[in-house]
Amino acid sequence: DQQVKQNSPSLSVQEGRISILNCDYTNSMFDYFLWYKKYPAEGPTFLISISSIKDKNEDGRFTVFLNKSAKHLSLHIVPSQPGDSAVYFCAARSYGGSQGNLIFGKGTKLSVKP
Amino acid sequence: ETGVTQTPRHLVMGMTNKKSLKCEQHLGHNAMYWYKQSAKKPLELMFVYSLEERVENNSVPSRFSPECPNSSHLFLHLHTLQPEDSALYLCASSQDSGHTTDTQYFGPGTRLTVL
């Protein structure tokens, strides 16, 4: 049973528009969430994170929103650029959980078209 | 450049072979991890080492044997693998695996094919 779900396997967006990647989770004990980006033939690269005490964290073109009541988080990329085309993974960790135990979603492949 | 390197990048082995995957981190971190990513599945944590001691083993078969000789190096020794073990094996490191906000940084992975 997946605790972190990314229900959209792929997303296509026009350059300059907003990309919104979604992630749902089931474990209410999760209190720290991360987004990773992965290009082909490379390992995942850390992008942005958010603690459960916040509902928004922003870093340049990337913003992560957390809705704890809905157990939902989203990553907004604006404006989207062709170089953003990659697979995006959502991950979560619970306080007091097993050390280092990040739970990952299956990923969403984002394609940004020029 | 993430500061975490893995060798080899690709490996093809038979079921009777013995091989090892190597990971090295240049970030001064204290914790290192092995993950497995199979097709159409999420990344799965296999092993965690903190200050060279194994602190997590997520029910991984004994045909996978990790070794952490120091905080900068991590190995995954492979023997008598099965075709279903074919996957991308990712190494990661972090500053301190005990903190919730600890961020893991990944290497490029080793693409393993078991024939």
Side-chain angles (χ1 to χ4, degrees), chain B residues 46-90:
Chain B
M46 300 175 72
F47 300 103
V48 180
Y49 277 82
S50 179
L51 296 172
E52 302 145 47
E53 286 193 22
R54 190 190 306 181
V55 296
E56 184 82 21
N57 174 359
N58 279 0
S59 302
V60 179
S62 59
R63 56 186 184 269
F64 295 92
S65 175
E67 178 190 1
C68 187
N70 55 63
S71 59
S72 298
H73 294 86
L74 185 65
F75 295 90
L76 187 62
H77 303 298
L78 316 171
H79 63 98
T80 60
L81 294 193
Q82 304 298 313
E84 58 264 30
D85 296 321
S86 298
L88 180 68
Y89 289 84
L90 289 158

Side-chain angles (χ1 to χ4, degrees), chain A residues 2 4 31-32 34 36 38 41-46 49 51 89 93-96 98-106, chain B residues 2 9 33 35 37 40-43 45 48 50 55-56 58 88 90 97-108:
Chain A
Q2 276 191 271
V4 177
D31 67 345
Y32 190 62
L34 306 90
Y36 284 84
K38 185 180 183 302
E42 294 183 15
T45 302
F46 170 71
S49 62
S51 167
F89 293 97
R93 179 188 292 137
S94 60
Y95 178 77
S98 300
Q99 276 187 309
N101 202 355
L102 281 178
I103 309 298
F104 283 84
K106 289 186 179 181
Chain B
T2 64
R9 294 295 307 275
Y33 312 79
Y35 283 86
Q37 186 179 26
K40 301 188 188 304
K41 287 187 176 181
L43 274 73
L45 180 66
V48 180
S50 179
V55 296
E56 184 82 21
N58 279 0
L88 180 68
L90 289 158
S97 66
H99 294 160
T100 303
T101 57
D102 194 39
T103 299
Q104 295 176 22
Y105 296 87
F106 286 83

Side-chain angles (χ1 to χ4, degrees), chain A:
Chain A
D1 184 34
Q2 276 191 271
Q3 297 186 64
V4 177
K5 299 178 184 178
Q6 293 177 258
N7 292 320
S8 298
S10 63
L11 174 67
S12 183
V13 172
Q14 203 68 32
E15 181 179 7
R17 306 296 290 269
I18 185 171
S19 295
I20 300 177
L21 297 111
N22 294 304
C23 179
D24 297 294
Y25 61 95
T26 58
N27 188 341
S28 58
M29 296 299 291
F30 287 149
D31 67 345
Y32 190 62
F33 304 89
L34 306 90
W35 284 95
Y36 284 84
K37 177 172 72 173
K38 185 180 183 302
Y39 293 118
E42 294 183 15
T45 302
F46 170 71
L47 194 56
I48 193 169
S49 62
I50 188 167
S51 167
S52 62
I53 61 174
K54 296 185 174 181
D55 54 18
K56 176 183 174 181
N57 189 26
E58 190 172 353
D59 183 2
R61 295 186 297 114
F62 302 91
T63 303
V64 56
F65 295 92
L66 175 63
N67 183 334
K68 283 178 289 184
S69 61
K71 295 191 179 66
H72 177 83
L73 66 156
S74 60
L75 175 67
H76 293 211
I77 306 173
V78 56
S80 301
Q81 299 173 354
D84 296 328
S85 297
V87 178
Y88 289 79
F89 293 97
C90 171
R93 179 188 292 137
S94 60
Y95 178 77
S98 300
Q99 276 187 309
N101 202 355
L102 281 178
I103 309 298
F104 283 84
K106 289 186 179 181
T108 296
K109 184 176 182 180
L110 173 65
S111 299
V112 179
K113 300 190 183 305

